Amino acid sequence: MRVWVFSNSGQASTTAAHALSKKLKAAGFTVNPARPDVVITVGGDGTLLSAFHRYNAALDKIRFVGVHTGHLGFYTDWRDFEIDDLVEALKNDHGEKIGYPLLDIKVTYMDDTTGHYVALNESTLKRATSTMKADMYVKDNFFESFRGDGLCVCTPTGSTAYSKSNGGAVLHPRLRALQVTEIASINNRVYRTLSAPMIIAPDEWVILRPEDGVNYVMTIDQFNMSDRPIKEVRYKIADEQIYFARYKHMHFWDRVEDAFIGAKH
Ligand code: NAP
């Protein structure tokens, strides 16, 4: 099995990643960044996001494992003091995997060129200067004219990140659905939006058409794309999925409780 250890630059993560790589090599694994079967991230959920974008052209061939060097995350099952158990689990690997939905993003720019991207958490459309005015369509049917700071479209696993800060619901990651949340919408006699999160079904898609697409910023997970005027952005559930090598299981709602409430500790 080919394994790669992908770490953030923090001291605790690089130390844990170094120790893990050594133990993996001693156990007979090929530790190499080219064509890995398993990518182990060491850091936090943000580190897993970075590894996802580094390897997003080969998602069908890779399984991810997250090791956290701080608190337990949403994409991380293992703690840094458990790396011996993780190496044992990899030695007994039977190809266990669980797949979660991703967000497919197709952008058409004003010059009619297009860009195609995939997000693990979410994508937002915002305006760098003044408020955003954009028409929103669901399945090609006009839904509303939005005015405000922006709109956020997230995956189920991304629902605990930016979307939650916008008042979005936490979605169980086994659901194949997208969620649209508003970022500071303007609602008055002139402008009217739904003012509630929307859950979009797997066979539906969302289109945002900004009025006068200049000065827009589109984010995709941790990236900001603001290079060209945008005509339209289309969001749907991606054909591909992200796969995790799930050697141990933590109930999703226990993870949510641990991250946001912590009453059991
Ligand atoms: P960052 O600003 O360094 O960290 C964002 C925080 O979000 C970190 O604490 C990270 O956890 C956490 N996080 C990432 N994915 C998550 C998930 N699926 N569920 C719950 N928490 C999650 O940026 P980054 O590390 O590069 O991550 C980019 C993400 O930041 C974006 O995808 C977006 O979701 C989020 N973000 C949130 C807001 C907001 O809530 N107002 C604003 C902008 C961006 P770790 O500490 O474990 O890495």
Side-chain angles (χ1 to χ4, degrees):
M1 187 194 285
R2 295 170 71 92
V3 183
W4 181 236
V5 181
F6 184 104
S7 166
N8 71 20
S9 56
Q11 176 75 54
S13 300
T14 49
T15 304
H18 184 70
L20 177 57
S21 298
K22 229 169 130 183
K23 285 173 195 274
L24 287 166
K25 281 178 197 157
F29 292 99
T30 305
V31 181
N32 194 304
R35 291 179 286 103
D37 303 300
V38 173
V39 172
I40 305 173
T41 65
V42 184
D45 286 331
T47 316
L48 197 127
L49 279 179
S50 300
F52 166 79
H53 285 283
R54 161 77 176 76
Y55 286 102
N56 70 9
L59 292 176
D60 54 332
K61 299 181 190 72
I62 292 177
R63 290 176 296 150
F64 290 87
V65 177
V67 176
H68 213 299
T69 44
H71 53 92
L72 205 63
F74 283 89
Y75 297 122
T76 55
D77 288 332
W78 299 82
R79 294 294 310 274
D80 47 356
F81 51 78
E82 295 176 314
I83 57 175
D84 287 324
D85 296 339
L86 175 56
V87 174
E88 275 310 302
L90 281 157
K91 278 166 47 184
N92 296 313
D93 177 73
H94 293 104
E96 298 90 337
K97 66 177 181 183
I98 182 155
Y100 292 132
L102 297 169
L103 176 64
D104 180 281
I105 305 149
K106 192 175 165 210
V107 194
T108 306
Y109 297 99
M110 285 296 192
D111 60 5
D112 282 329
T113 57
T114 57
H116 194 190
Y117 310 97
V118 69
L120 175 55
N121 271 351
E122 79 286 291
S123 171
T124 67
L125 189 65
K126 306 180 204 176
R127 201 159 194 198
T129 53
S130 77
T131 53
M132 163 165 130
K133 290 180 226 163
D135 285 345
M136 177 172 145
Y137 297 76
V138 180
K139 266 186 118 173
D140 295 334
N141 294 326
F142 174 75
F143 184 76
E144 69 178 22
S145 285
F146 176 90
R147 186 162 185 170
D149 280 6
L151 285 161
C152 169
V153 184
C154 78
T155 63
T157 55
S159 69
T160 45
Y162 197 175
S163 174
K164 184 174 174 294
S165 303
N166 303 327
V170 172
L171 293 193
H172 195 291
R174 279 206 308 271
L175 293 171
R176 282 194 82 237
L178 298 177
Q179 179 169 203
V180 182
T181 51
E182 300 180 349
I183 310 170
S185 60
I186 297 174
N187 272 282
N188 54 29
R189 284 165 181 256
V190 182
Y191 302 108
R192 178 109 355 251
T193 69
L194 180 65
S195 300
M198 291 171 74
I199 309 292
I200 304 295
D203 60 346
E204 297 182 332
W205 59 94
V206 171
I207 302 173
L208 302 182
R209 289 196 186 124
E211 181 192 303
D212 166 25
V214 287
N215 287 328
Y216 278 84
V217 177
M218 186 179 66
T219 68
I220 294 175
D221 295 335
Q222 70 272 47
F223 300 108
N224 269 346
M225 337 265 287
S226 55
D227 54 342
R228 275 176 287 166
I230 291 172
K231 186 190 275 184
E232 170 185 295
V233 190
R234 269 173 192 259
Y235 294 110
K236 68 177 181 75
I237 291 186
D239 295 334
E240 58 267 66
Q241 290 190 299
I242 182 170
Y243 293 103
F244 290 89
R246 270 281 145 88
Y247 301 121
K248 61 176 182 177
H249 183 66
M250 182 173 183
H251 283 292
F252 176 69
W253 297 113
D254 284 343
R255 207 184 282 266
V256 173
E257 189 280 334
D258 182 81
F260 297 119
I261 301 170
K264 293 179 189 159
H265 305 285

